[in-house]
Amino acid sequence: MRAKEVADLVGISVRTLHHYDEIGLLVPDEVTEAGYRVYSDENLEMLQQILFFRELDFPLKKIKEMINSPSFDREEALELHRKMLLEKRRRIDQMLQTIDQTIQYVKGEIDMSNKEKFAGFDFSHNPYEQEARERWGDQAVDESKKRIGNMTKDDQKEMSKEWDDIYKKLAALRHHSPASQQAQEAIKEWYDFLNNMGNYSLEAFKGLGQMYVDDERFTKNIDQYGEGLARFMRDAMAVYVDKNKL
């Protein structure tokens, strides 16, 4: 499809498509000799993804950073978009209810407390926005992939063995307190291991631990070493971060 056809289909301007191309956000798969941009089905799928992010007020620079990240997963992004839109709908429904009550209050039909007058107003960030930024904008992931890609097969084999050994050690400790000395020594090995591959801050490490529980794919893989390991690691990672932030 040419730019004009895409613009008419989607409801955006041709100039917007040109701008996306110019900044490298959405580059059409083909440009004719006459200079017409031609968009493929894959381009349209990416445009849909971009517009979902735009609907949720992400800046173009951040969208480009996320969708170009090696860790970006389209299906995962759509699930996250859905969560964010549900949160947005919840806030809008609450705001509409507050408006309806305020109309009744202005008419003298009901009383409203000060708290009720401001129900629905929330100027904090959508909690899922931060998750998206951390998941697809995290340079630690990119650095890890790059370092692994530069390893020899023997190095990768050694790394896999070290990973496996740490998980087995943690699995054997999962019925202990996450704050125990043994658990904290083992979780420090995991923190050091991750930082040998990438650059994980303490907060990123804690967020990763929470993801082990929130994302069922992580939970399923980790719990292969022992049921409840993902939750144990999350708690141990949180304790480690809180202790080392002091």
Side-chain angles (χ1 to χ4, degrees), residues 21-199:
D21 183 10
E22 290 163 3
I23 65 174
L25 179 60
L26 181 68
V27 179
D29 279 356
E30 181 184 346
V31 178
T32 68
E33 291 183 1
Y36 291 106
R37 294 170 172 86
V38 180
Y39 293 83
S40 65
D41 287 343
E42 288 74 16
N43 289 148
L44 293 180
E45 289 176 0
M46 184 59 70
L47 177 58
Q48 183 200 48
Q49 198 76 73
I50 291 167
L51 294 179
F52 274 134
F53 278 124
R54 289 296 291 145
E55 178 65 26
L56 294 162
D57 300 322
F58 281 79
L60 294 179
K61 183 178 180 181
K62 180 55 65 174
I63 295 172
K64 181 181 177 182
E65 178 184 333
M66 289 189 293
I67 64 177
N68 287 328
S69 169
S71 60
F72 183 77
D73 182 286
R74 185 166 182 261
E75 182 179 348
E76 186 180 13
L78 289 170
E79 290 289 345
L80 190 58
H81 287 316
R82 187 176 187 279
K83 291 180 185 178
M84 295 172 77
L85 287 169
L86 286 171
E87 172 66 17
K88 189 173 184 178
R89 183 173 73 180
R90 182 195 66 77
R91 291 178 58 186
I92 290 173
D93 287 343
Q94 177 66 69
M95 191 73 70
L96 286 170
Q97 182 180 340
T98 300
I99 289 174
D100 289 341
Q101 289 180 315
T102 303
I103 290 173
Q104 289 180 286
Y105 171 72
V106 170
K107 290 181 178 179
E109 297 174 356
I110 63 169
D111 290 326
M112 283 186 80
S113 67
N114 288 332
K115 183 176 181 180
E116 289 172 330
K117 291 175 185 177
F118 294 96
F121 290 97
D122 183 0
F123 299 102
S124 62
H125 292 297
N126 187 315
Y128 298 110
E129 178 179 344
Q130 186 60 31
E131 180 181 347
R133 290 175 183 270
E134 290 176 355
R135 189 164 297 192
W136 298 307
D138 190 355
Q139 292 183 353
V141 176
D142 298 342
E143 290 180 16
S144 296
K145 287 180 178 290
K146 184 177 180 181
R147 291 190 187 186
I148 292 172
N150 291 332
M151 286 181 177
T152 66
K153 288 185 177 180
D154 287 341
D155 287 339
Q156 290 184 20
K157 189 175 181 179
E158 181 62 30
M159 182 198 71
S160 295
K161 183 179 183 303
E162 185 178 354
W163 176 307
D164 188 61
D165 288 344
I166 294 172
Y167 267 63
K168 285 178 179 177
K169 182 183 293 186
L170 287 163
L173 295 168
R174 70 186 189 280
H175 299 304
H176 293 217
S177 166
S180 69
Q181 182 178 347
Q182 287 178 300
Q184 286 301 296
E185 288 176 353
I187 211 67
K188 182 182 184 303
E189 288 185 38
W190 182 232
Y191 180 69
D192 291 342
F193 176 85
L194 290 175
N195 275 290
N196 283 333
M197 293 193 300
N199 183 21

